[in-house]
Amino acid sequence: MKKTFLTILSGLVASVIFLATAQAFEADINGNVDLKVTSAYIWRGVVVNDEPCVQPAVIFSSDTWAFTVNGSWDLTKVEDSAGDTRVDTTLDYGWTSGKHMLRPGVVAYIYQDESGSRSKDTFEVFTEYALDIPALPSLTVYYDFGEIGAFYTTLSISHDFNIIKDKFPVELRASVGAAEEKYNNAIFSFPADEEKGIEAFQPDKSSLVDLTLGGSVTIPVSKDDNAQLVPGIKYMTLLDSEIKNGVKDAGEKASEIAYSLTYSFYF
C-alpha cells in the first residue's frame, strides 16, 4: 500500500502545480469527480479482470490543459489482484485549428507493489489527432518508454445524438487497436504450464490487435446539471487469430462485454 499512498500524494502535488500554473496564466479551471462501477475491466485487447471493479477518477482541466488521476480496484477477490490494481496519472495539452485537433500527453501507470505481481510500473507518451467532421475520426499513437519500449495505436470513430431534443445525449463509439511485435510480446506472451497442458506462446509479428465497440447515455440528476449518471456498455474482441488462439489456449478470454455505471460530479 506504500506505493499507492505515494502515487496519490504525487498526484495531489501535481494537481497543485497544475492549478498554480493555470492560475499564473489566468486560466479557468474546471474539475470533476467520476465514480465508475464496471462488471469487467477491459483494456487494449486484454480482459484484465472479468469480475466487478470500481474505477474512480479526478480530473482538473482548462481550455487547453488537463490533469487526470484515475484508478481501478477489484471488488471481488481474484488471483493476482495486485497486478490488476493500478493508479494512472495523465497530463495532456490540446489545441484546435479549424477542423483539426491535436492532443499530446504523458501517462504514468503505477501498480500495487505486492510481491508476485506480474505488472510493472511504466510510462507512455502519446499524441492524438482528430478531425472535426461527421464520425469524428481520430488517430492516437502511444509509445511506452518504460517497461516495453514499443508502439500501440488506435483508430476511433464516434457519433453523438440526443434521445430527446437537447436531453439525454447518447455517445456511440468504435475503435481498432494495432501494435508492433515488441508490444504484443509484452502483453500477450504466456509461459508454458505442463500441469495444465499449456504450451508457451509468444506473438511473432505486428498486427491489428482488438476491436472495441461501446455506447453510453448521460442522465442529469441535478437541477444545475453538475451531477450526472452515465450507464454504458462496451464489447471487446481480439482480431489477430494467432493472438486470439494463444490467449484462449492460456485459459484467458479473447472477448468480453462490460456493463458500467458512472456517477459524475462537476465543480
Side-chain angles (χ1 to χ4, degrees), residues 59-82:
I59 305 164
F60 296 101
S61 63
S62 67
D63 290 338
T64 53
W65 290 93
F67 178 75
T68 304
V69 179
N70 63 284
S72 182
W73 281 269
D74 299 330
L75 289 177
T76 57
K77 186 177 181 180
V78 296
E79 184 178 356
D80 194 18
S81 176

Side-chain angles (χ1 to χ4, degrees), residues 74-122:
D74 299 330
L75 289 177
T76 57
K77 186 177 181 180
V78 296
E79 184 178 356
D80 194 18
S81 176
D84 300 340
T85 299
R86 73 190 200 194
V87 176
D88 303 345
T89 57
T90 304
L91 180 64
D92 62 78
Y93 176 82
W95 68 84
T96 302
S97 177
K99 294 183 179 294
H100 305 278
M101 296 176 286
L102 196 65
R103 185 176 67 98
V106 61
V107 188
Y109 300 101
I110 310 299
Y111 293 86
Q112 295 276 9
D113 55 343
E114 296 181 20
S115 60
S117 174
R118 68 177 183 273
S119 302
K120 305 298 181 182
D121 299 348
T122 193

Side-chain angles (χ1 to χ4, degrees), residues 75-254:
L75 289 177
T76 57
K77 186 177 181 180
V78 296
E79 184 178 356
D80 194 18
S81 176
D84 300 340
T85 299
R86 73 190 200 194
V87 176
D88 303 345
T89 57
T90 304
L91 180 64
D92 62 78
Y93 176 82
W95 68 84
T96 302
S97 177
K99 294 183 179 294
H100 305 278
M101 296 176 286
L102 196 65
R103 185 176 67 98
V106 61
V107 188
Y109 300 101
I110 310 299
Y111 293 86
Q112 295 276 9
D113 55 343
E114 296 181 20
S115 60
S117 174
R118 68 177 183 273
S119 302
K120 305 298 181 182
D121 299 348
T122 193
F123 306 88
E124 285 183 341
V125 290
F126 69 88
T127 299
E128 178 185 15
Y129 169 75
L131 194 58
D132 189 10
I133 60 174
L136 193 65
S138 66
L139 178 70
T140 308
V141 179
Y142 302 88
Y143 178 72
D144 184 299
F145 63 91
E147 284 292 312
I148 301 177
F151 287 95
Y152 177 86
T153 302
T154 60
L155 179 62
S156 305
I157 57 173
S158 64
H159 177 64
D160 299 333
F161 63 93
N162 293 328
I163 297 177
I164 303 174
K165 185 178 180 180
D166 299 326
K167 293 183 178 180
F168 304 113
V170 174
E171 180 186 10
L172 303 177
R173 54 194 177 274
S175 66
V176 174
E180 63 174 312
E181 179 182 346
K182 191 174 181 181
Y183 193 95
N184 285 336
N185 287 343
I187 303 300
F188 296 107
S189 292
F190 299 96
D193 189 329
E194 295 183 0
E195 293 184 359
K196 296 181 179 180
I198 298 175
E199 297 182 359
F201 172 74
Q202 184 175 29
D204 59 0
K205 63 181 180 180
S206 302
S207 65
L208 293 177
V209 177
D210 60 292
L211 169 68
T212 302
L213 306 174
S216 62
V217 58
T218 299
I219 305 170
V221 292
S222 65
K223 292 182 179 180
D224 51 5
D225 290 335
N226 68 337
Q228 302 170 339
L229 282 177
V230 185
I233 184 172
K234 179 191 294 185
Y235 168 75
M236 183 283 298
T237 187
L238 290 171
L239 295 176
D240 184 270
S241 58
E242 292 184 6
I243 292 178
K244 180 180 290 188
N245 291 335
V247 167
K248 288 181 177 180
D249 290 344
E252 304 289 340
K253 288 188 174 182

